[in-house]
Amino acid sequence: AGKLSNIMDEHEVVLKVVRETLIEVLDTEAVELDVRGSTQKGTQTLGSDVDIVIRTHERRVSRADKEAVAAALRERPPFHRRHVHVGRLAIACVASFLEIDLVFANTDEFAPLASPHDCFKNNTTAQNAARMLKVSVKDTLSPAGRLQKVHSFLLELLVLEVQRANPSLAQQPTQADDHTPPGQGSCSDS
């Protein structure tokens, strides 16, 4: 329990530093951080990164803004100076051995991010299947015979598609889930 508690404390420190940096660099208090991806879906594994969607409600974020945020994060603990990079879709960074992708919802570079339907909520069957696949299938061979990374979201989509195509594989509600409306626990209705 102590190690998990330390990890959660570290997440809070990182989120606090990111939020303070965004407020300072973007000169706005209207900053909202949402943890997304496998962490939000409950499909994360020990090596999973943390995807954080950043919403700046009244302000659109430019590429220059992202560069300025990355430059500021490089100077702040717990971020590692050499491991903060502005990519095509996100600022990829490492803070205290935690890999993080910072994705801006309101950006000048791309259309606004849609909020995806959460097909994994209360769907422990799909969560566990996705985790098993992620641990088992980290890399695959390309047609040229080189190892290439299998993206986790593709494995998650595969699990959901198998579950949709085979309704008998959908999670059976437990007493704790009895209050969940039909279709909310899986994406078989979508």
Side-chain angles (χ1 to χ4, degrees), residues 51-69:
D51 300 304
I52 300 173
V53 173
I54 301 164
R55 298 187 192 288
T56 52
H57 299 284
E58 80 252 7
R59 189 175 190 295
R60 294 191 62 76
V61 177
S62 67
R63 176 76 178 197
D65 291 329
K66 292 177 189 177
E67 295 285 355
V69 168

Side-chain angles (χ1 to χ4, degrees), residues 6-7 38 40 75 79 90 92 94 96 102 123 139 145-147 152 157 168 177 185:
N6 291 343
I7 291 170
S38 61
Q40 184 254 347
E75 302 303 319
F79 289 88
V94 176
S96 300
L102 303 173
N123 189 350
D139 299 307
R146 290 181 292 219
L147 278 180
S152 292
L157 288 174
S168 64
D177 294 332

Side-chain angles (χ1 to χ4, degrees), residues 2 13 31-32 36 41 43 51 59 61 63 66 69 78-79 85 87 105 109 115 118 125 140 143 159 177 181 183 189:
V13 168
V31 173
E32 184 180 316
R36 292 294 180 98
K41 294 174 196 166
T43 62
D51 300 304
R59 189 175 190 295
V61 177
R63 176 76 178 197
K66 292 177 189 177
V69 168
F79 289 88
H85 305 281
E109 294 180 277
S115 295
D118 189 354
T125 301
T140 188
V159 166
D177 294 332
D189 297 343

Side-chain angles (χ1 to χ4, degrees), residues 86-105:
V86 179
R88 212 177 98 232
L89 299 175
I91 299 174
C93 43
V94 176
S96 300
F97 306 105
L98 181 66
E99 291 184 34
I100 303 165
D101 286 334
L102 303 173
V103 181
F104 289 87

Side-chain angles (χ1 to χ4, degrees), residues 124-143:
T124 54
T125 301
Q127 290 172 349
N128 291 334
R131 282 190 192 111
M132 296 283 289
L133 269 177
K134 289 177 181 184
V135 170
S136 302
V137 184
K138 292 179 184 175
D139 299 307
T140 188
L141 288 178
S142 71

Side-chain angles (χ1 to χ4, degrees), residues 73-85:
L73 287 174
R74 286 184 194 108
E75 302 303 319
R76 297 188 178 166
F79 289 88
H80 296 274
R81 175 182 218 105
R82 293 184 189 163
H83 298 288
V84 178
H85 305 281

Side-chain angles (χ1 to χ4, degrees), residues 152-180:
S152 292
F153 74 91
L154 294 174
L155 298 174
E156 291 169 354
L157 288 174
L158 176 64
V159 166
L160 293 174
E161 182 58 24
V162 168
Q163 196 173 54
R164 186 198 61 74
N166 299 286
S168 64
L169 297 177
Q171 175 173 323
Q172 299 302 316
T174 63
Q175 284 185 335
D177 294 332
D178 282 344
H179 64 279
T180 305

